[in-house]
Amino acid sequence: MVASSAPGKVYLFGEHAVVYGEPAVPCAIDKRATVEVTERSDDSLRVEARDLSLDGFTVEFAGGVAGVSDIEVESELVEAAIGYVDEAIQHAMRLGDAPDAGFDVSIASDIPLGAGLGSSAAVVVATIDAATRELGVEVSPDEIAEHAFAVEYSVQEGQASRADTFCSATGGSVRVEGDDCTPIASPELPIVIGYDGGSGNTGELVAGVRELKEGYEFADGAIGLIGDIVREGETLLGQEEVSLESLGQLMDFNHGLLSALGVSGRSLDVMVWAARNAGAAGAKLTGAGGGGCIVALDASAETEQALRITPECESVFRAELDHEGVRAE
Ligand code: MEV
């Protein structure tokens, strides 16, 4: 048996626009998915998951999601999670030149599913790393990032950027623009995350933005403006003294534009305003949107306290930048 873990992430700036070639800056956070992989004596796959903000589930199948049986928890999210794991295992089998291998896969995660914190990328990255090591092959984080991106691209039917998977594989703060993925220096930031207990469907949300972009020139313009915010944000992050106020203001702008593109939601907006009213430097949704998490910057305890008493917020926690990407456990 081998185990690997990989971090989740928040987007400081740039989700959705990154799908259309604009830059984005996601940051890995100290919340991880851990995947244990053991080779089986037959060619089937057994996936067990715990702590995915769902009841645990176990599923055994051979030959892909179509063959799924015994799902104990009926859920679109569980099916999606299995789709990612199955595809990640197929990549690992190709990398390990083991077309007839079978595996027991056990996933434990402190990243809620589909909530904007990069749970699927973390699970895919950790699964590829653990399964290839179980097959006796060492694969570099950059190569894992490339294969993990191919997994997301295929499962999300072409609606994925390299941002989530690269950030999870390498850790730290990264800049992603098209195929170009670069680690960037970033200061420690006082990150507060509010979670509404819900989730969004990334594929549907990305498709909704695409429809607006194709239908309205100003929606296309909003995507370009998000790119401008990211470029401005990068300049700020590169300065010796980083101004939280200025970073926060850019996050507020970014949230407004995401909202205009239809990917926010009532509970996300309520949490964003609770954070701002409590004195956060800035707040925005993170990830695909629809439901899930917001990210705010506040060194004081006020934003956490305000979110804790906001009915729309199910849980609130601090996160730190995680400089480590995928690692053996
Ligand atoms: C989802 O975490 C982020 C999106 O930009 C999609 C992607 O980049 O693949 C919405």
Side-chain angles (χ1 to χ4, degrees), residues 9 11 14-19 116 118 152 156 159-164 202 206 287-288:
K9 56 106 231 316
Y11 274 89
E15 55 272 87
H16 282 287
V18 69
V19 174
E152 287 219 325
Q156 290 167 207
Q159 325 236 44
S161 74
R162 289 179 146 76
D164 290 24
T202 301
V206 173

Side-chain angles (χ1 to χ4, degrees), residues 247-260:
L247 269 186
Q249 204 169 30
L250 291 179
M251 288 166 70
D252 287 345
F253 267 125
N254 196 157
H255 182 77
L257 289 164
L258 288 167
S259 211

Side-chain angles (χ1 to χ4, degrees), residues 119-248:
S119 57
S120 61
V123 166
V124 168
V125 164
T127 302
I128 297 177
D129 188 62
T132 46
R133 287 193 301 110
E134 176 73 351
L135 292 171
V137 184
E138 284 288 329
V139 184
S140 71
D142 278 353
E143 223 181 317
I144 289 177
E146 205 47 41
H147 283 272
F149 166 64
V151 170
E152 287 219 325
Y153 193 84
S154 146
V155 177
Q156 290 167 207
E157 296 172 352
Q159 325 236 44
S161 74
R162 289 179 146 76
D164 290 24
T165 39
F166 182 77
C167 185
S168 187
T170 61
S173 297
V174 304
R175 179 192 198 273
V176 175
E177 184 170 6
D179 294 347
D180 209 19
C181 305
T182 330
I184 58 169
S186 141
E188 291 304 326
L189 294 169
I191 296 173
V192 180
I193 294 173
Y195 172 41
D196 69 4
S199 62
N201 180 318
T202 301
E204 278 171 21
L205 289 152
V206 173
V209 172
R210 186 180 300 278
E211 212 172 293
L212 285 179
K213 178 183 168 358
E214 283 165 3
Y216 298 95
E217 216 170 288
F218 46 80
D220 192 39
I223 288 169
L225 287 177
I226 292 178
D228 291 341
I229 289 172
V230 182
R231 283 180 278 272
E232 187 91 19
E234 275 178 77
T235 310
L236 284 179
L237 286 170
Q239 285 169 358
E240 219 157 280
E241 283 270 304
V242 176
S243 157
L244 270 196
E245 291 315 306
S246 309
L247 269 186

